[in-house]
Amino acid sequence: MATTNSPAIEFHNVSRLFGDVKAVDHVSLTIDDGEFFTLLGPSGSGKTTCLRMIAGFEQPSAGQIKLYGQDVTNLPPYERDVNTVFQDYALFPHMTVGENIAYGLMIKKVPKAERERRTAEMLELVRLPGLQNRKPSQLSGGQQQRIALARALINRPRVLLLDEPLGALDLKLRQQMQVELKGIQHEVGITFIFVTHDQEEALTMSDRIAVFNQGKIEQVGSPAALYEHPATRFVATFVGVSNVMEGETAVSLTGSPQTFSVRPEKIRLVAVETAVSPTQCTTTGRVEEVVYLGMNTRYLVRLDNGSEIAVVAQNLDTTSMDVLSARGKQVRLVWPREFNRPLAEK
Ligand code: ATP
């Protein structure tokens, strides 16, 4: 039986094989009620297969899936209290917006007056009041995606699954929808499980993120925890940009061969002769590349031992002329040791 204080979703050692491809490989995971939870990873890492197993479109090869404490591993999709929003909206083109949104209620034979009331409520929720009588073809991509969201939410599922729902939108609209989607989740208070390969999108919206790599979860944590304390090389480089120091470079910087990462924005470029305190890491190199990005500048520095370090600096009181003149110069790199993050080798 489903219980109210159980987590929304539990994966216990779940695997899914397609022939000899391990799409999902021994994944265990708990998602709490009311969380905005993101499955993040590159293409082919197993995110969508996990989402489809929650929806019931796909069966695990091994392991158990629970929804609010109830074992749903072998339940068909229609017996699960979840709904899915897909990237391609999948709206019915011949129906009006209102008919699309109310479709689930019509199937359940909800009376017309209640259908109309709840459809109007949903249009308010997705900030498109009064559009009931339009056809999907008369809407922009962003508007169609909001209608798909309204159609999924009108059934009041306990969990909403979102499979790259913003993937087809241009960057500006996508960023606007990210903020709105988070607002809507807050308003309806149900669990959202969101799939994306876009780390910035995941950081913007999520309460917690699971980072997938080759069918396995590398790390689960809040956006700040993943960014500030990446546990593995994969997470350090997939979530934001990191410099990974290993081998001789690690030894020369810290005295230890332990591999570690440091974010480019933690490193400062100073004159070679600048004195450095023992609480800081330091090395020298030559500025090989300078990319002026308006708000920031990205530098690529070739260390004396041949390895490369990326540095990002805000353009607080420097002009593009100043920063571009750094190219080719010998510099010192300095950063507080406290920003070094040891990485587990997997
Ligand atoms: P994307 O972002 O590209 O959708 P993803 O992280 O969601 O990627 P999945 O779609 O879960 O990844 O796929 C994981 C692996 O399983 C991939 O190697 C994929 O080719 C394989 N796979 C997924 N579905 C099937 C299927 N029905 N038959 C065979 N292989 C499949």
Side-chain angles (χ1 to χ4, degrees):
M1 260 316 288
T3 55
T4 43
N5 40 22
S6 304
I9 305 286
E10 290 161 80
F11 271 43
H12 296 285
N13 242 327
V14 172
S15 295
R16 177 63 168 113
L17 309 179
F18 294 105
D20 49 13
V21 175
K22 287 185 183 162
V24 175
D25 190 5
H26 293 94
V27 164
S28 292
L29 177 68
T30 302
I31 300 175
D32 291 326
D33 183 35
E35 268 196 297
F36 196 120
F37 193 95
T38 297
L39 313 182
L40 171 69
S43 182
S45 58
K47 319 172 294 282
T48 300
T49 304
C50 281
L51 203 74
R52 290 173 58 79
M53 289 194 288
I54 298 171
F57 301 138
E58 206 74 75
Q59 296 293 309
S61 312
Q64 186 190 42
I65 298 176
K66 288 186 175 179
L67 198 64
Y68 288 96
Q70 183 191 12
D71 186 347
V72 297
T73 316
N74 298 308
L75 278 191
Y78 55 84
E79 286 185 26
R80 302 179 186 211
D81 204 355
V82 303
N83 229 330
T84 309
V85 178
F86 299 98
Q87 176 173 351
D88 62 1
Y89 325 133
L91 296 176
F92 303 119
H94 57 286
M95 289 186 188
T96 63
V97 161
E99 287 163 349
N100 263 285
I101 295 175
Y103 185 75
L105 299 185
M106 206 182 68
I107 298 287
K108 287 189 189 159
K109 302 205 168 29
V110 173
K112 186 158 184 257
E114 186 181 342
R115 287 203 312 257
E116 285 180 355
R117 184 180 57 74
R118 280 169 63 182
T119 301
E121 260 175 38
M122 283 298 129
L123 281 167
E124 290 282 340
L125 179 72
V126 299
R127 330 252 191 280
L128 291 175
L131 289 196
Q132 285 88 332
N133 297 323
R134 292 252 192 111
K135 285 283 175 61
S137 60
Q138 295 169 313
L139 301 176
S140 69
Q143 289 172 329
Q144 290 188 39
Q145 190 51 277
R146 284 168 213 232
I147 301 303
L149 187 64
R151 186 179 58 177
L153 285 171
I154 202 166
N155 295 321
R156 300 175 179 154
R158 291 184 90 177
V159 177
L160 188 70
L161 307 175
L162 301 112
D163 192 359
E164 302 249 3
L166 309 181
L169 307 178
D170 67 50
L171 183 65
K172 270 262 156 72
L173 188 55
R174 197 177 166 125
Q175 288 171 337
Q176 184 191 337
M177 283 294 289
Q178 288 167 5
V179 175
E180 288 194 20
L181 204 54
K182 178 80 185 156
I184 289 170
Q185 189 258 346
H186 198 72
E187 225 166 301
V188 295
I190 66 171
T191 311
F192 273 33
I193 305 178
F194 189 92
V195 162
T196 184
H197 61 267
D198 181 334
Q199 50 93 24
E200 204 175 307
E201 185 159 283
L203 292 176
T204 305
M205 290 193 294
S206 318
D207 295 318
R208 286 193 308 149
I209 301 168
V211 183
F212 279 73
N213 182 25
Q214 299 186 340
K216 292 183 187 289
I217 293 181
E218 294 254 338
Q219 192 176 358
V220 178
S222 67
L226 290 182
Y227 191 82
E228 289 174 8
H229 298 277
T232 66
R233 175 193 299 258
F234 181 81
V235 175
T237 52
F238 191 75
V239 180
V241 178
S242 271
N243 293 294
V244 175
M245 318 288 193
E246 57 192 326
E248 263 178 50
T249 308
V251 173
S252 72
L253 288 165
T254 64
S256 151
Q258 163 76 54
T259 303
F260 69 94
S261 69
V262 59
R263 296 289 185 190
E265 69 273 19
K266 301 299 184 199
I267 305 175
R268 276 185 311 121
L269 297 183
V270 295
V272 176
E273 58 280 8
T274 308
V276 174
S277 95
T279 61
Q280 298 190 305
C281 270
T282 190
T283 184
T284 53
R286 190 173 158 277
V287 177
E288 210 163 70
E289 229 181 80
V290 181
V291 184
Y292 176 76
L293 298 165
M295 224 188 304
N296 305 315
T297 299
R298 194 169 63 224
Y299 302 88
L300 199 63
V301 180
R302 174 82 54 196
L303 301 190
D304 300 337
N305 72 7
S307 56
E308 276 178 356
I309 289 190
V311 177
V312 171
Q314 262 189 294
N315 295 325
L316 291 174
D317 27 47
T318 39
T319 66
S320 59
M321 291 291 279
D322 297 332
V323 299
L324 291 169
S325 71
R327 189 176 283 134
K329 293 217 169 111
Q330 198 64 22
V331 288
R332 178 169 293 284
L333 297 88
V334 185
W335 67 94
R337 287 181 191 276
E338 64 183 294
F339 293 129
N340 291 347
R341 299 287 177 249
L343 300 178
E345 285 302 338
K346 283 210 162 183

